[in-house]
């Protein structure tokens, strides 16, 4: 359960400070919710709020039990640590058995032979697979998803999805994603952020028609799904990063000018 007690919250963008919640109070009981809003930035800020990444500016947010990180945000795993070191750190944070975590995550994500590789050398779709596998292990009471939640690897996705359904039967699940199929497959309720208020509705399909999600990640996944396997993804990524690049050239007799908005020191 998530409790909002006169919560006011805003975020900053290029135009200034924008408020998306104003003295909002209410209770979000157990259920599987799609987070919808006409403002994508507000959804990101709301996820930060309920995960505890940013405290409310006014009011209080109460959470019953253990809350997940924003599952699907790959930047939380992009580091110089190896796969094995990352799993050891993860085990220590959530007080889980290290050997159990290594076995479960490496076997499910097909990374058994790559435990010594730095995370930065892995393809993003491989890191996503690892992140989704990790999310199944702690006994979260509140699961929060933000980003890509269905993997193009059909075999992995089928096993992971079945385990997630069993894991979240009595939990609060808030899903912010640009994958409409994932929302319709998993969620049966909607949380709507609009006009500085938070609305709960059981009419999910109607809410999706009023607040359609932007299909961005689906296009990325479609391109990645054509790869043969994870090793091929990693090899292609390494070739792209190591390929030499031609230097930029300016036209003869013309002075290169700085981009608009750039100030010469």
């Amino acid at each position: 359960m998530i409790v909002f007690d006169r919560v006011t919250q805003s975020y900053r963008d290029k135009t200034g400070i924008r408020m998306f919640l104003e003295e909002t109070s209410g209770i979000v009981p157990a259920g599987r919710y799609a987070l919808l809003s006409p403002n994508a930035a507000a959804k990101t800020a709301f996820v930060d709020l309920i995960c505890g990444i940013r405290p409310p500016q006014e009011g209080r947010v109460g959470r019953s039990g253990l809350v997940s990180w924003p599952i699907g945000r790959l930047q939380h795993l992009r580091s110089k640590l190896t796969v094995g070191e990352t799993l050891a750190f993860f085990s220590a944070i959530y007080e889980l058995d290290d050997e159990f975590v290594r076995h479960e995550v490496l076997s499910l994500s097909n990374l058994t032979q790559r435990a010594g590789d730095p995370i930065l050398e892995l393809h993003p779709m491989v890191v996503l697979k690892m992140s989704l596998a990790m999310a199944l292990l702690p006994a979260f009471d509140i699961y929060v998803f933000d980003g890509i939640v269905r993997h193009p690897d059909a075999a992995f996705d089928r096993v992971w999805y079945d385990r997630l359904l069993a894991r979240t039967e009595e939990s609060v699940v808030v899903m912010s994603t640009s994958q409409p199929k994932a929302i319709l497959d998993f969620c049966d309720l909607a949380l709507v952020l609009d006009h500085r208020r938070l609305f709960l509705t059981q009419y999910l399909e109607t809410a999706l028609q009023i607040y359609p999600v932007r299909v961005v990640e689906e296009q990325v996944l479609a391109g990645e799904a054509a790869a043969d396997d994870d090793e091929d993804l990693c090899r292609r990524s390494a070739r792209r990063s190591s390929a030499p690049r031609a230097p930029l050239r300016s036209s003869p007799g013309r002075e290169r000018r700085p981009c608009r908005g750039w100030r010469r020191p």
Side-chain angles (χ1 to χ4, degrees), residues 89-98 101:
F89 181 62
F90 171 79
S91 303
I93 290 177
Y94 290 101
E95 300 180 349
L96 300 172
D97 181 73
D98 185 36
V101 169

Side-chain angles (χ1 to χ4, degrees), residues 49-150:
L49 177 67
I50 61 177
C51 286
I53 297 175
R54 296 184 182 276
Q57 294 167 321
E58 296 181 13
R60 185 181 69 89
V61 178
R63 310 165 189 86
S64 59
L66 186 62
V67 186
S68 76
W69 70 92
I71 303 165
R73 288 189 188 177
L74 299 186
Q75 62 266 36
H76 290 285
L77 283 180
R78 305 301 288 181
S79 72
K80 296 181 180 179
L81 296 178
T82 65
V83 172
E85 291 169 342
T86 300
L87 294 179
F89 181 62
F90 171 79
S91 303
I93 290 177
Y94 290 101
E95 300 180 349
L96 300 172
D97 181 73
D98 185 36
E99 291 300 320
F100 170 76
V101 169
R102 286 176 63 93
H103 176 267
E104 290 295 315
V105 175
L106 295 180
S107 59
L108 182 58
S109 57
N110 195 25
L111 287 173
T112 305
Q113 304 301 321
R114 310 206 63 185
D117 291 359
I119 295 288
L120 287 175
E121 293 184 4
L122 301 180
H123 190 277
M125 286 296 103
V126 180
V127 179
L128 174 64
K129 187 181 291 188
M130 176 179 167
S131 174
L132 294 176
M134 292 166 62
L136 293 173
L137 300 183
F140 292 124
D141 299 282
I142 301 173
Y143 290 79
V144 185
F145 293 88
D146 187 26
I148 303 174
V149 296
R150 298 302 297 264

Side-chain angles (χ1 to χ4, degrees), residues 3-22:
V3 179
F4 296 88
D5 183 13
R6 299 181 66 85
V7 173
T8 295
Q9 189 75 334
S10 61
Y11 64 92
R12 183 183 296 275
D13 63 9
K14 295 180 180 179
T15 62
I17 297 176
R18 301 186 62 179
M19 184 182 298
F20 66 92
L21 285 179
E22 183 176 13

